[in-house]
């Protein structure tokens, strides 16, 4: 699978890749061929940092409608030979989701393309989920033979079919097919449903991991086994310690937090931090000098979870440290500090952007903190993050923080946020965008009438244009 390169934020392609509202506004005024080329680039080369949580499909589908875009490029992408060679869901997932939204808007060509891909494409399960939400019973029933033909009528094929039925995101097609009178369809799907239920029951009867009666040492050993397998188990292991450890085990746990193996040390630190042990903060400070990155990360994460007054006071003392603990202290103050900590939070925000750029991992918390504390001086940095980040979720957080810190937000970024790819960002815009701009009023009315729009957005819109709202 390709790694999408994000174009500069000042270009049409860069705006569309980021899912910014200005991307739609610029595309609608650009030459149509140029706008469609940029749109196809985004849909066929998923630009998202995290395709499982960031939204783009509705954003791109609406732009297809506005540009009266055809689906030839998507069709070529779906049925390219690479579809057989690259089976990763994220190669075709965005295109299929866009087709799903277009189908819900009445585009019959999108519905036909989804049906065809569900019958013959590699990522057929995603296409079937899209159809489950949009197609009628007749269209879904017609796909039964094609889908079931993917599973040979042998032991391995039946096992794969049971797993597909069990793990289906949308069960509607399988329920329809289970009622099919043909033995090769209905009887086979019912058998797969029964086997999937049995598999779940069997897994529940045969759990892996800790058992009642385990000792503290056994929990530490389990965490170390996870490290050996490449799986970090210190978080569930710390929860296990809560169940098995007693006062007589405290010394052993503290010793493990100070001198234990990586899995045991991470587990012990997490347990002590969660239980607000008086020694936890000193043990965290000692752990960040460990040569093990896993121990350092576990210690920092455990510290950031702490909610005690002592932890906040220690964060104030650590905030200017030039290491990961100093960065974590800045994030803790962003979450739990008070107005006296605004300078430290602002400094941490600026340092994160300077050091790691507008997509730094710790920015989410710092951006939220700037908004929570109402740090007006942070507005220039927040505007920079808003413009440049490739993460639509982080941009939405920056928009929320700007609404609390930047007096120019209602007449500025809030306007374009009405077209943003994230519904939470559109909701912020619906509550704050100044209605002196004719585009704002028109878009608010469009969102209010769009059946694909999220309820929270429409509720915010109604608060601006409903019968009890101020005149627009």
């Amino acid at each position: 699978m390709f790694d999408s390169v994000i174009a500069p934020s000042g270009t049409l392609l860069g705006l569309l890749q980021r899912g910014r509202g200005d991307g739609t506004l610029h595309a609608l005024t650009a030459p149509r061929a140029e706008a469609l080329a940029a749109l196809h680039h985004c849909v066929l080369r998923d630009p998202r940092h995290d395709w499982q949580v960031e939204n783009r499909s509705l954003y791109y589908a609406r732009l297809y409608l506005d540009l009266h875009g055809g689906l030839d490029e998507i069709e070529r992408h779906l049925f390219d030979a690479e579809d057989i060679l690259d089976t990763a869901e994220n190669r075709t997932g965005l295109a299929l989701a866009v087709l799903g939204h277009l189908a819900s808007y009445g585009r019959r060509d999108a519905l036909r393309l989804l049906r065809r891909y569900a019958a013959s494409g590699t990522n057929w399960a995603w296409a079937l989920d899209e159809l489950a939400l949009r197609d009628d019973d007749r269209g879904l029933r017609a796909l039964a033979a094609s889908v079931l033909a993917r599973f040979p009528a042998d032991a391995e094929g039946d096992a794969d079919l049971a797993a597909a039925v069990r793990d289906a995101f949308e069960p509607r097609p399988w329920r329809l097919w289970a009622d099919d009178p043909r033995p090769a369809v209905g009887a086979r799907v019912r058998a797969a449903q029964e086997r999937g239920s049995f598999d779940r029951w069997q897994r529940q009867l045969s759990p892996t991991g800790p058992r009642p009666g385990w000792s503290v040492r056994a929990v530490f050993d389990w965490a170390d086994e996870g490290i050996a397998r490449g799986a970090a188990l210190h978080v569930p292991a710390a929860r296990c310690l809560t169940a098995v450890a007693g006062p007589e085990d405290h010394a052993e746990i503290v010793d493990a937090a100070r001198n234990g193996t990586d899995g045991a040390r991470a587990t012990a630190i997490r347990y002590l931090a969660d239980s607000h042990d008086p020694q936890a903060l000193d043990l965290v400070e000692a752990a960040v000098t460990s040569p093990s990155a896993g121990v350092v990360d576990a210690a920092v994460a455990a510290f950031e979870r702490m909610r005690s007054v002592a932890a906040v006071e220690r964060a104030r003392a650590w905030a200017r440290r030039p290491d990961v603990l100093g960065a974590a202290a800045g994030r803790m103050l962003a979450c739990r500090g008070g107005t006296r900590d605004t300078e430290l939070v602002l400094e941490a925000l600026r340092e994160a952007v300077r050091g790691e750029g507008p997509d730094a991992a710790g920015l989410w918390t710092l951006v939220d903190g700037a908004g929570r504390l109402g740090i007006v001086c942070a507005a220039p940095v927040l505007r920079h993050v808003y413009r440049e980040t490739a993460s639509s979720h982080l941009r939405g957080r920056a928009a929320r923080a700007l609404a609390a810190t930047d007096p120019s937000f209602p007449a500025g970024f809030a306007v374009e946020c009405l077209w943003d790819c994230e519904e939470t960002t559109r909701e912020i815009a619906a509550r704050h965008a100044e209605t002196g701009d004719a585009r704002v009023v028109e878009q608010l009315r469009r969102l209010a009438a769009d059946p694909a729009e999220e309820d929270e957005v429409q509720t915010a819109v109604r608060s601006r244009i409903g019968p009890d709202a101020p005149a627009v």
Side-chain angles (χ1 to χ4, degrees), residues 359-446:
D359 290 305
L363 272 181
W364 294 43
T365 303
L366 294 170
V367 165
D368 287 348
R372 182 181 72 85
L373 295 172
I375 306 177
V376 176
C377 294
V381 184
L382 295 172
R383 287 194 289 266
H384 173 74
V385 172
Y386 177 96
R387 291 189 191 97
E388 300 300 329
T389 181
S391 167
S392 54
H393 275 192
L394 179 55
R395 182 177 63 253
R397 289 171 179 257
R400 188 179 299 277
L402 284 167
T405 59
D406 187 0
S408 70
F409 178 73
F413 285 140
V415 174
E416 74 155 283
C417 286
L418 286 169
W419 285 265
D420 197 87
C421 66
E422 296 290 343
E423 67 268 15
T424 52
T425 308
R426 296 194 297 275
E427 180 185 354
I428 295 167
R431 297 189 184 281
H432 292 277
E434 285 190 358
T435 54
D437 189 327
R439 296 175 304 170
V440 171
V441 178
E442 180 182 352
Q443 181 65 0
L444 286 173
R445 288 172 175 156
R446 179 181 179 182

Side-chain angles (χ1 to χ4, degrees), residues 289-313:
T289 63
S290 168
S292 168
V295 170
V296 174
D297 291 344
V300 169
F303 167 65
E304 288 192 63
R305 284 172 50 85
M306 298 180 73
R307 290 171 171 79
S308 64
V309 174
V312 174
E313 289 296 335

Side-chain angles (χ1 to χ4, degrees), residues 214-301:
W214 270 28
S215 66
V216 168
R217 183 69 262 164
V219 173
F220 287 153
D221 290 343
W222 181 61
D224 285 328
E225 289 170 9
I227 296 290
R229 298 196 310 267
L233 298 177
H234 63 277
V235 174
R239 290 197 294 267
C240 292
L241 280 186
T242 302
V244 305
E248 69 279 5
D249 300 304
H250 183 263
E252 181 182 357
I253 295 172
V254 170
D255 182 65
R258 186 176 290 114
N259 305 308
T261 52
D262 288 357
R265 191 174 188 186
T267 300
I269 290 173
R270 178 65 171 242
Y271 168 80
L272 293 170
D274 285 353
S275 57
H276 301 292
D277 189 276
Q279 299 183 65
L281 290 166
D282 292 333
L283 292 167
V284 165
E285 186 172 19
V288 297
T289 63
S290 168
S292 168
V295 170
V296 174
D297 291 344
V300 169

